[in-house]
Amino acid sequence: MKKVTAALLAGAAALAFTATAQAEPDGEAIYNQACMACHMTGAAGAPIRGDEAAWAPRLEKGMDTLYAHSIDGFQAMPPKGGHMGLSDEEVKASVDYMLEPVL
């Protein structure tokens, strides 16, 4: 009986670790679902993914400011791009994805 209990506990721990490891938000998927409409077209002045000149002045303010503006909203951008169901971590992952080509 002790062996079965130990095996069950080990299995549960492995599943918990796997679930945690997979919990990382997918910035590209979030961008494609929630951000692309504006950040691919430049709607309302949104900086386009990969446009180094558009992102440069924003990057000068630092990542914390970029994250805060993305989460809380800034100028024409509503909080979380209007997708209030996104977690802060998901928004940050999408920002990171948008910035990959210019960093």
Side-chain angles (χ1 to χ4, degrees):
M1 186 67 159
K2 288 182 181 180
K3 289 182 182 181
V4 172
T5 302
L8 287 174
L9 289 174
L15 284 174
F17 176 77
T18 301
T20 302
Q22 293 176 351
E24 289 290 318
D26 182 347
E28 181 178 8
I30 296 162
Y31 168 84
N32 288 333
Q33 294 172 356
C35 311
M36 184 180 357
C38 294
H39 287 281
M40 188 170 163
T41 64
I48 295 174
R49 183 176 190 268
D51 183 345
E52 202 166 332
W55 284 105
R58 292 163 172 89
L59 285 168
E60 287 176 6
K61 295 178 182 178
M63 290 302 293
D64 288 339
T65 299
L66 268 174
Y67 291 145
H69 288 171
S70 301
I71 293 166
D72 301 327
F74 184 72
Q75 296 180 351
M77 182 178 164
K80 298 183 178 185
H83 298 271
M84 296 308 292
L86 293 174
S87 69
D88 290 357
E89 288 71 30
E90 289 171 322
V91 174
K92 289 177 181 180
S94 67
V95 169
D96 291 343
Y97 174 75
M98 277 189 270
L99 292 171
E100 281 176 7
V102 300
L103 292 179

